[in-house]
Amino acid sequence: MIIAIDGPAASGKGTLAKRVAQHFGLPVLDTGLLYRAVARDLAARGFRLDDPWAGAALARSLDPATLDDPHLRGAKAGDAASVAAKIPQVRSALLQFQRAFANQDPGAVLDGRDIGTVICPNAHVKMFVTASPEVRARRRHAEVAARGEPISYEETLADILVRDTRDAGRGAAPMVRAVDAHLLDTSEMDIEAVFQAAVGLIMRKISQ
Ligand code: DC
């Protein structure tokens, strides 16, 4: 059973993916971390974030053990990832790793931007999780403030809008809802309600 969860920055898709994976006893891959790690490795070696050759080489040699790095969770890392993620060579270099993860037995949950459209077009269940930019900014701001990052709500909202435009506007695997993905607009829902809705969708699929 492959479960694909896509959506924009700070939509809650990561939290949902983890809860769904735990509930169904499946491994989970936060694919945003892969792009964040490539951007980190590019910057650490002094390359531009949009260098296709270095990006692809570093993506191919990415050590999954380094994905635990807490620095990858920050707002700056997310923005840098979104720049590196525009490079088609970087995306192709990360494709096999993601597909292999998805195709393990008994299945997997992956969250990202292009899981339902490009990485796992045959996923058994696809969801596109979203919320208004203001709601996402409020949630993300509360999260980063709790971690002590000195970023205002206005900066957080601006960052989200820039990322939405870049992720949805790029030529390679843009963020878009797959035609067969269930839309979960979480603007007016808490995580528990989103989780229950997702479990309901998956259970309906299992019992079909
Ligand atoms: O999900 P996230 O915020 O951690 O992702 C960081 C960036 O990585 C995001 O702005 C775009 C890119 N990304 C992508 O292009 N494709 C994915 N499947 C996941 C993330």
Side-chain angles (χ1 to χ4, degrees), residues 11-79:
S11 57
K13 64 186 186 314
T15 308
L16 177 64
K18 283 192 203 83
R19 284 206 56 186
V20 163
Q22 193 183 27
H23 184 81
F24 290 100
L26 294 171
V28 60
L29 180 64
D30 170 355
T31 63
L33 281 179
L34 303 174
Y35 296 92
R36 287 170 182 253
V38 171
R40 170 200 61 196
D41 294 350
L42 278 164
R45 287 160 181 80
F47 291 106
R48 288 170 50 115
L49 291 172
D50 58 357
D51 182 318
W53 178 85
L58 290 170
R60 267 193 297 274
S61 60
L62 190 64
D63 177 1
T66 68
L67 297 178
D68 283 343
D69 178 358
H71 293 110
L72 292 183
R73 308 266 169 198
K76 280 207 175 70
D79 191 58

Side-chain angles (χ1 to χ4, degrees), residues 13 31-32 35-36 78 81-82 85 91 112-114 163 167 170:
K13 64 186 186 314
T31 63
Y35 296 92
R36 287 170 182 253
S82 157
R91 306 200 70 84
R113 302 290 187 291
D114 62 342
R163 271 225 269 158
D167 294 345
R170 67 183 176 223

